[in-house]
Amino acid sequence: MEKQINVTRSSMPPFEEYVNEIKDLWDSRWLTNSGAKHQKLEKELKKYLGVENLSFYSNGHLALETALNALHLHGEVITTPFTYASTTQAIVRCGLTPVFCDVEPEWYTMDPNKIEALVTEKTCAILPVHVYGNVCDDKKIEAIAKKHHLKVIYDAAHAFGVKVNGKGVGALGDIAMYSFHATKVFHTIEGGGLAYHDSGLRKELEALKMFGMYGKEDAELIGSNAKMTEFQAAMGLCNLRHVDEWIKQRKAAVERYRERLSDVPGIGLCKIQKNVESNYAYFPVYFDEKVFKKNRDEMADRLAKHNIFARKYFYPLTSEFTVYQGRFPIQKTPVAYNASRHILTLPLYSELTTEDVDRICDIILEK
Ligand SMILES: *Cc1c(COP(=O)(O)O)cnc(C)c1O
């Protein structure tokens, strides 16, 4: 049997390093509730990400729901259907109505030229996604938000460490959500963070993960329990020491993929974004069956026969989910629909070797 390669593989620090990091927890017995590890990670990540304020959560999804709660939004949120389930589910679970904007065809981020037509008197916010780590057109999004008095919340789950013009993407918008899930570029096993400029938001963002309590007895808000534990924070402290090296290794794999696939007729790769320092989170490939002869699904099956498991990120669109059947017309986002039918996301992780990439490309290019 050929070596199994999955779309991703969690990066891990050396075992001894993690064991060493969690040792003091046996003395302190402080296992969760913003302990020493949590506070240290917060300080270090603020610096690493270049953001002014940062709050942690048990996962990215609850971080996103908390952001929507803390901004006291009501009505419609303009968002993208070409994303992971979490983005849309967070909007709906917060009692808001998603209004789906199409994506642009080069990077699959929200098409800024199609936003304004969707603004109504009920619109309260825009929730774009830096999908695959590709950075949204924040200048245009900000201008529209300003004109119509809308909040901007970025789903930056894919964009850990990504910088535009030297600035971390977490500094864009009112609030940006990072996911620290095990499969992301940087992780705390499960975990998430919110970055924001307005330090006035902090008290509420923190209380919302503590049952809505500012103090120890009374609850002033309708909160949840979404705290990050010390074991998660300890994993983050270890991983932060290695993440630059991991990104470098991912970059080498991406460069090899590009060498092998960029000039192949019928294969489309994302263009490199100007002034963006990438984190090489994903490697999406567009298969045009009219030129390439094999379609996306056939290619996924062919790779699977060789024990290589690429993923159809993102298929289906979130607006097509069974739970939303009939509520959102998919004809209104044709570029996103087309992307969901043609893109295969190839394996990419720090330990993926040049030989692995070559094996994957050989199978793809086999006639
Ligand atoms: C991973 C992810 C999330 C949710 O993050 P979790 O930490 O897994 O809850 C949200 N949005 C996108 C686009 C993601 O990929």
Side-chain angles (χ1 to χ4, degrees), residues 64-106:
L64 189 55
E65 287 194 10
T66 304
L68 296 172
N69 285 325
L71 293 172
H72 301 280
L73 302 174
H74 300 282
E76 298 173 356
V77 176
I78 298 173
T79 188
T80 162
F82 192 68
T83 181
Y84 189 60
S86 173
T87 321
T88 304
Q89 301 285 46
I91 293 169
V92 177
R93 280 174 54 87
C94 289
L96 299 157
T97 305
V99 173
F100 292 103
C101 182
D102 209 357
V103 298
E104 57 81 54
E106 244 156 56

Side-chain angles (χ1 to χ4, degrees), residues 287-302:
F287 287 96
D288 179 354
E289 71 272 15
K290 287 196 231 61
V291 181
F292 193 71
K293 304 296 185 249
K294 284 270 174 299
N295 69 34
R296 186 271 307 268
D297 292 350
E298 289 165 339
M299 196 47 72
D301 292 344
R302 185 197 278 186

Side-chain angles (χ1 to χ4, degrees), residues 135 162-167 272-278:
V135 182
V162 174
K163 289 183 183 153
V164 210
N165 298 312
K167 199 163 115 177
I272 291 168
Q273 290 190 301
K274 280 202 203 91
N275 309 319
V276 169
E277 203 179 301
S278 176

Side-chain angles (χ1 to χ4, degrees), residues 58-62 64 83-87 129 131 155 157-158 177-181 183-184 190-192 282 314:
S58 44
N59 58 61
H61 179 82
L62 285 174
L64 189 55
T83 181
Y84 189 60
S86 173
T87 321
V129 180
V131 67
D155 180 333
H158 298 176
M177 179 276 284
Y178 287 105
S179 164
F180 309 141
H181 182 257
T183 57
K184 304 294 201 299
E190 291 266 4
Y282 297 90
F314 290 95

Side-chain angles (χ1 to χ4, degrees), residues 82 102-105 108 132 285-287 296 312-315 317 333-344:
F82 192 68
D102 209 357
V103 298
E104 57 81 54
Y108 312 109
Y132 305 131
V285 175
Y286 184 102
F287 287 96
R296 186 271 307 268
K312 297 168 193 177
Y313 290 143
F314 290 95
Y315 167 85
L317 298 178
T333 57
V335 180
Y337 183 83
N338 187 56
S340 74
R341 267 58 186 173
H342 290 89
I343 290 178
L344 192 61

Side-chain angles (χ1 to χ4, degrees), residues 20-172:
N20 208 39
E21 189 67 53
I22 60 174
K23 263 201 184 105
D24 12 342
L25 301 176
W26 265 257
D27 298 324
S28 72
R29 300 292 159 120
W30 190 314
L31 309 185
T32 183
N33 292 50
S34 303
K37 304 283 174 200
H38 182 291
Q39 286 171 34
K40 186 163 179 229
L41 183 64
E42 193 179 296
K43 211 164 120 200
E44 291 188 10
L45 267 186
K46 266 197 323 208
K47 206 157 83 193
Y48 185 90
L49 297 170
V51 299
E52 295 161 82
N53 299 288
L54 193 59
S55 290
F56 289 152
Y57 298 88
S58 44
N59 58 61
H61 179 82
L62 285 174
L64 189 55
E65 287 194 10
T66 304
L68 296 172
N69 285 325
L71 293 172
H72 301 280
L73 302 174
H74 300 282
E76 298 173 356
V77 176
I78 298 173
T79 188
T80 162
F82 192 68
T83 181
Y84 189 60
S86 173
T87 321
T88 304
Q89 301 285 46
I91 293 169
V92 177
R93 280 174 54 87
C94 289
L96 299 157
T97 305
V99 173
F100 292 103
C101 182
D102 209 357
V103 298
E104 57 81 54
E106 244 156 56
W107 294 296
Y108 312 109
T109 48
M110 191 182 279
D111 186 338
N113 300 316
K114 293 182 180 164
I115 298 173
E116 220 167 354
L118 301 173
V119 175
T120 70
E121 70 269 20
K122 289 191 194 135
T123 311
C124 57
I126 309 174
L127 203 174
V129 180
H130 299 304
V131 67
Y132 305 131
N134 293 335
V135 182
C136 299
D137 189 338
D138 65 289
K139 297 244 161 39
K140 283 192 190 159
I141 291 170
E142 198 183 311
I144 295 164
K146 215 166 176 181
K147 184 172 160 197
H148 297 278
H149 310 287
L150 308 174
K151 298 287 183 192
V152 180
I153 304 104
Y154 281 103
D155 180 333
H158 298 176
F160 182 90
V162 174
K163 289 183 183 153
V164 210
N165 298 312
K167 199 163 115 177
V169 292
L172 305 175

